[in-house]
């Protein structure tokens, strides 16, 4: 037996076909990305539910939340009250409802709701 082991051809383990390495790397990345996405979606939905609950209570909004239109913020505007939605120039907003004045109720990408003046929005 010792003689047989002595004459065996030695092959290092790290010499694996390049295709196999690439395939393994891709499958590892896919698994990791899926796991991260699921985790962040759970966090976002929890935060979104909290924001929606606050919105319904503050605005006394009983209707179903439907996106009427999408708009882009033309300029950055800080919020002075909690019910106003702070804007960043170029931000995409979902228009939820139209009010009697010159404001609309919008939702930003973070899930926050608030009033936005129509003059600050650019509708497509």
């Amino acid at each position: 037996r010792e003689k047989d082991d002595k004459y065996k051809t030695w092959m290092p383990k790290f010499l694996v076909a390049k295709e196999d390495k690439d395939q393994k790397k891709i499958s590892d990345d896919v698994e990791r990305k899926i796991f991260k996405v699921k985790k962040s979606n759970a966090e976002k939905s929890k935060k979104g539910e909290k924001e929606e609950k606050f919105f319904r209570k503050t605005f006394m909004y009983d209707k179903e939340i439907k996106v009427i239109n999408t708009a882009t913020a033309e300029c950055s505007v800080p919020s002075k009250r909690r019910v106003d939605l702070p804007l960043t120039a170029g931000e995409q907003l979902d228009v939820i409802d139209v009010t009697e004045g010159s404001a609309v109720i919008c939702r930003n990408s973070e899930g926050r709701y608030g009033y936005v003046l129509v003059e600050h929005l650019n509708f497509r």
Side-chain angles (χ1 to χ4, degrees):
R1 273 193 164 174
E2 291 176 12
K3 286 182 180 179
D4 291 342
D5 290 338
K6 192 175 186 181
Y7 295 111
K8 275 188 178 176
T9 55
W10 181 76
M11 188 96 164
K13 290 185 180 180
F14 61 87
L15 290 179
V16 182
K18 200 172 193 177
E19 296 169 357
D20 294 341
K21 279 185 179 180
D22 293 342
Q23 190 66 25
K24 186 176 180 182
K25 188 182 277 187
I26 290 170
S27 65
D28 288 348
D29 290 344
V30 170
E31 288 175 20
R32 289 180 186 151
K33 285 180 184 176
I34 290 172
F35 181 71
K36 288 180 182 177
V37 169
K38 286 182 181 178
K39 187 176 179 182
S40 65
N41 281 345
E43 291 171 2
K44 283 183 181 178
S45 65
K46 199 172 190 179
K47 185 178 180 182
E49 289 174 10
K50 186 179 177 183
E51 285 291 335
E52 184 178 334
K53 193 174 182 180
F54 178 80
F55 163 70
R56 288 188 180 278
K57 184 179 177 184
T58 306
F59 289 78
M60 292 180 260
Y61 197 83
D62 296 332
K63 301 181 227 171
E64 182 182 348
I65 297 174
K66 289 185 180 179
V67 177
I68 299 171
N69 202 348
T70 56
T72 308
E74 289 183 339
C75 57
S76 297
V77 181
S79 64
K80 296 176 182 169
R81 305 176 297 166
R82 174 64 175 118
V83 293
D84 293 334
L85 188 64
L87 298 177
T88 308
E91 182 180 18
Q92 293 286 334
L93 300 170
D94 295 330
V95 179
I96 304 298
D97 203 357
V98 181
T99 60
E100 291 180 9
S102 62
V104 291
I105 298 174
C106 293
R107 175 178 61 199
N108 65 6
S109 59
E110 296 172 2
R112 286 191 60 193
Y113 296 86
Y115 289 116
V116 178
L117 293 175
V118 176
E119 58 205 41
H120 298 303
L121 298 177
N122 183 16
F123 294 93
R124 294 182 190 177

